[in-house]
Amino acid sequence: MRLILTVNGADHAVDLDPRTTLLDALRHDLDLTGTKKGCDHGQCGACTVLVNGQRINACLALAVMHDGDEITTVEGLGEVDHLSPLQSAFLTHDGFQCGFCTPGQLVSATAMLTELHDGWASHVTENLTETLTAQPTSRAEIAERMSGNLCRCACYPGIVAAIEEVVVRSRADREAAE
Amino acid sequence: MTETLKLDGPSREALLDRAAQGAIGRGLDRPEGPLKVTGQAGYAADARLDGMVHGVLARARQTGTITDHRLEALKAMPGVVLVLTDGIPRNPAQGAVPTAPPAADGVAYTGQPTALIVAERFEDAWHAALAYDPQITPVAHDLDPETAATVETPEDKQRADDGWQDTWDAAPTKVDVTVTTPSLTSAPMEPHAAIAMWEGDQLTLRGGLQMLKFNRKSLADALDMPVAKIRLLAPYVGGGFGSKLGVAQEAVAAALAAKQLGRPVSVVMHRRQVFEATMRRSESRQRIRLACDDAGIIRATAQEYRVSNLPGEAFSEPVARADRAFYATDKLKITHEIARIHRMAAGSVRAPGEAIGIPAFEMALDELAEAAGIDPLELRLKNTVEADPISGLPFSSYPLADTLKAGAKAFGWQHRPPRQQQEGEWWIGQGLASAIRGHFAAEAEARVSLTAQGAIVETDQTDIGTGSYAILRQITGEMLGLDPADVEVRLGDTAFPPAFGSGGSAGAASSGTAVLLACRALRKRIAASLDAAPDDLTLKDGHVIHGNRRTALAQIVPQEGWCEQGHVAAGDISDKVRTTTCGAMFAQVAVNAVTGEIRVRQMHGTFAAGRILNHKTATSQCHGGLIWGIGMALMEELHHDPRDGAVVNRDFAQFHIPANADVPPLSVDFLDAADDWGGPLGALGLGELSISGAAGAILNAVHNAAGIRIRDMPATPDKVLDALDKLGS
């Protein structure tokens, strides 16, 4: 099937077997191998990408379902000499060891920051009457929201600390701007 | 020139103590980090080669003899270019083995990959692999370690001290505890993968591999070709934890298929194949008997255990060793039984032996403390030893008591009886366990080039997340007086000098020592050019300070640079001292009296593993071990179908590993002191230490919280509720 995949702002015209997952299309057809296949079953989160700003498991989506959607992969978050704040924080806090789940963690965390900013509640949100943006973001809140991304090296303490730093800093930046 | 050192005795590199550059030990960020956080680090399956095709391993659904692979229909399926059945090994090679993985003879375990389907597109190969349905004449096999007909008891793994029974009988306080642990799995996030490419008779294989020196020989043996004709590339490995120690099915199959097709072939195991066809940690049944005198000193110790493996596998989980003990004891008894069964192969999973042996022993110690009416911390302190009570060998360093005291203080340890604290439905309690893991020296080589721009380190050592890139850069920076940012480290390529690889926590100390030796040789070159003695030089910030002169290295090093090799070999240290790492781990848990759920609320570990080379990466490794302890204590278990031994829960939905929300605040600190028997670097192995006991701290805390002993790991809610029922609460 012919379709246009829009990835990290660039359009790619591809002709794909309809069985091709979005993950395999990225890796095999567009040579964007930053997105990883950890389980191919939607259980580990290593393949997390953004589709129109929301995080999904690319292994559970067929490429043909995303003709024309805006897709962002880890390659679209930042570059080696121009890291995103989350990417820098993962380095500082050692939020990875082997690094294989890291692209998924980072894409997932990027979307999570938006979800927090948009006031989405989670399973551990204690106060549903106040808007989330008015509450400090607890480590439990971050851990809960990042539990769809498994890490066998178990860098969870570093991952949470990295995200917390970015949450606190971006909130301070926002308040300073207001 | 190669600077060589055989480790036969204590040694020390004074430059590391002096730390003029201040590079060693610091928590520097991982140098390869920017590549990893941007998706640019190339793992085994990430290469995109011209003409590359995709291979998918296909499984056999029952054990027995394959009478017909029934390939005709598969070969006719769209896109299929090759179906390969000959030469796919039965299971992966064990760690540090230079010979081929075992050849297949029929189907030895359910799920064994017995065919490789190669197609132009992955989708076609996957579809055809699912259609693979060989005709198999079933063969009945033993599947249960408890009822297996063949149980081996190798003589060198047994021990029964004269007078053990009398000592046991005479002791006033004793416990007799049986702990069971299930089959477990490494489950690194990167599935096993290989991309093979031939140029004439030369094979280049990108693989997820931990120990390239051995893997290269093993693959050469499997393919019956010269070692020198194989180049392995593994610059980034997405976790190993033992499962990638040896060459596995995907690498051999990719190489064979690529040769037949004359095209590069990529073979990536599906997650379910990683679970069912690589390596498991053997289940264990461990009977532990401990007896102490009225002063709380242990007098008799017995560890009798049964583990299992496939017939023909030399590896058996070394739960306890017949030649050593780590606490006081007068008499030791060890029984090591290996049941031969047809479950998937058993091999090394992070800290083979200690990972399940120490938690069980520490649980028995907790019971002994209760029986003796002693604080479990106090019991351990009473029984720490300066020398191995069995071999009589002194420990090179074994500050177990210091880690226990420091850890207890950091955690806020307070001994109190069980069932004292409740919060609503939750019982709260705390527990501790020691961490104990053997260290061994290994042979390694490395090359360091020094130019006016900085240094380049090359060795085939791997970094599987362990921090090799970071620490080799720091060692070089410290030895040569360079900003670590001016040191480039190149790893995971057999074109470089051979190291030991990542296994047995031996990678950092061995490859780090080889790099240190190469740097020593470079310092001699620098000194010679100044007519000075190497010891009279201070190298710092890219300059040489000699007497009252400070000269830029760039002015000394010739245009073409200098290149030196380092080579460390294991000598006879193990005949002279016992080298061991240790630590103390503490957990606070909450046990829900209604649902049986256990939540770990806090953990702390204080560890001693010689010199700590990078506090940041070392801390992360210790976090990892503690979290593996949470998994082992509470959730991880491979279930084998009793009818055919198959792994039932072969994915992450059914085999639960800790997720982010399972992990409480953790704290880790180190007793950072060089061990002179660890070589001039003074570092001992660290990567496996913190898993070696962690589950015990948690389950001891469960007892302290709710008064229940869960001796059958993992402590899932059903077992907790049963135990609470029996307690009558």
Side-chain angles (χ1 to χ4, degrees), chain B residues 442-628:
Chain B
E443 183 177 13
E445 296 177 53
R447 177 163 66 215
V448 181
S449 312
L450 179 64
T451 68
Q453 284 72 46
I456 296 171
V457 177
E458 292 171 321
T459 159
D460 82 353
Q461 173 65 23
T462 48
D463 185 332
I464 61 171
T466 38
S468 312
Y469 281 107
I471 59 130
L472 297 183
R473 185 187 223 198
Q474 287 172 271
I475 292 163
T476 307
E478 193 60 62
M479 290 296 293
L480 298 179
L482 296 172
D483 181 334
D486 293 328
V487 180
E488 182 190 346
V489 179
R490 300 174 182 168
L491 302 177
D493 182 344
T494 53
F496 301 147
F500 179 68
S502 302
S505 295
S510 57
S511 63
T513 303
V515 167
L516 179 149
L517 294 172
C519 291
R520 274 188 183 169
L522 286 167
R523 290 180 65 96
K524 285 181 189 166
R525 297 282 285 264
I526 296 166
S529 75
L530 296 171
D531 274 333
D535 290 347
D536 294 340
L537 302 182
T538 298
L539 270 55
K540 189 173 186 305
D541 297 331
H543 287 74
V544 184
I545 302 158
H546 176 228
N548 50 14
R549 286 188 55 194
R550 184 169 184 272
T551 316
L553 263 179
Q555 289 173 14
I556 299 171
V557 183
Q559 184 67 31
E560 69 279 12
W562 286 320
C563 181
E564 297 288 353
Q565 296 227 152
H567 183 176
V568 62
D572 60 359
I573 280 181
S574 59
D575 298 337
K576 296 170 180 168
V577 290
R578 236 187 99 183
T579 50
T580 291
T581 60
C582 64
M585 298 174 289
F586 299 79
Q588 188 198 52
V589 304
V591 181
N592 192 296
V594 177
T595 66
E597 182 185 9
I598 298 170
R599 300 293 299 174
V600 180
R601 289 192 165 185
Q602 185 196 343
M603 284 187 91
H604 171 80
T606 297
F607 300 103
R611 187 191 301 282
I612 301 301
L613 302 171
N614 178 319
H615 275 262
K616 186 179 284 191
T617 59
T619 299
S620 291
Q621 276 198 309
C622 290
H623 284 161
L626 293 174
I627 294 167
W628 276 54

Side-chain angles (χ1 to χ4, degrees), chain A residues 15-17 19-21 24-25 27-29 31 33-41 43-46 74-83 86-88 90-103 105-106 139-140 142-144 146-160 163, chain B residues 29-30 32-43 45-48 52 54 78 121-124 126-127 185-191 236-239 241 268 270-272 350 463-466 616-618 620-621 623-625 627-628 631 636 651-664 666:
Chain A
D15 186 5
L16 295 177
D17 184 319
R19 296 169 296 182
T20 309
T21 63
D24 288 330
R27 291 182 54 82
H28 297 160
D29 296 287
D31 291 355
T33 54
T35 308
K36 302 302 184 206
K37 186 186 284 190
C39 72
D40 221 10
H41 269 37
Q43 297 161 350
C44 78
V74 68
E75 289 93 342
L77 298 183
E79 289 168 23
V80 166
D81 47 11
H82 191 74
L83 299 176
L86 270 171
Q87 288 170 319
S88 291
F90 266 59
L91 264 179
T92 313
H93 293 278
D94 214 29
F96 57 92
Q97 289 176 56
C98 81
F100 192 81
C101 72
T102 312
Q105 300 279 357
L106 281 159
R139 289 194 163 210
I142 295 169
E144 169 66 21
M146 289 301 293
S147 282
N149 292 84
L150 298 178
C151 173
R152 189 55 158 166
C153 300
C155 300
Y156 302 124
I159 291 168
V160 172
I163 296 172
Chain B
D29 295 347
R30 293 170 198 263
E32 81 286 13
L35 293 177
K36 285 182 173 173
V37 298
T38 53
Q40 303 301 315
Y43 297 82
D46 290 345
R48 292 288 158 263
M52 189 174 86
H54 295 270
R121 282 196 66 84
F122 170 75
E123 291 74 24
D124 288 327
W126 178 245
H127 189 186
T185 182
S186 296
M189 294 313 299
E190 177 197 34
Y236 301 101
V237 181
F241 314 111
V268 183
H270 188 267
R271 173 55 59 187
R272 289 189 150 178
R350 197 175 192 174
D463 185 332
I464 61 171
T466 38
K616 186 179 284 191
T617 59
S620 291
Q621 276 198 309
H623 284 161
I627 294 167
W628 276 54
E636 293 183 31
D651 59 41
F652 284 126
Q654 302 173 84
F655 181 92
H656 290 178
I657 65 170
N660 205 320
D662 293 314
V663 176
L666 306 177

Side-chain angles (χ1 to χ4, degrees), chain B residues 301-321:
Chain B
T301 301
Q303 286 178 271
E304 294 153 283
Y305 60 94
R306 177 172 292 195
V307 294
S308 71
N309 210 339
L310 277 168
E313 286 298 315
F315 175 88
S316 63
E317 183 89 12
V319 173
R321 313 273 177 120

Side-chain angles (χ1 to χ4, degrees), chain B residues 10-84:
Chain B
S11 57
R12 186 137 190 169
E13 177 51 69
L15 293 169
L16 300 181
D17 294 325
R18 213 179 300 152
Q21 184 64 36
I24 201 76
R26 277 173 56 199
L28 295 181
D29 295 347
R30 293 170 198 263
E32 81 286 13
L35 293 177
K36 285 182 173 173
V37 298
T38 53
Q40 303 301 315
Y43 297 82
D46 290 345
R48 292 288 158 263
L49 307 179
D50 287 343
M52 189 174 86
V53 285
H54 295 270
V56 172
L57 289 164
R59 70 193 292 262
R61 292 172 200 173
Q62 64 182 144
T63 58
T65 308
I66 298 179
T67 51
D68 184 358
H69 282 283
R70 296 201 279 218
L71 302 181
E72 289 315 310
L74 296 186
K75 287 177 179 167
M77 288 180 75
V80 172
V81 296
L82 177 71
V83 182
L84 181 139

Side-chain angles (χ1 to χ4, degrees), chain B residues 627-646:
Chain B
I627 294 167
W628 276 54
I630 295 174
M632 187 189 294
L634 304 184
M635 59 191 85
E636 293 183 31
E637 175 172 21
L638 282 183
H639 292 278
H640 296 279
D641 190 322
R643 297 166 301 179
D644 63 2

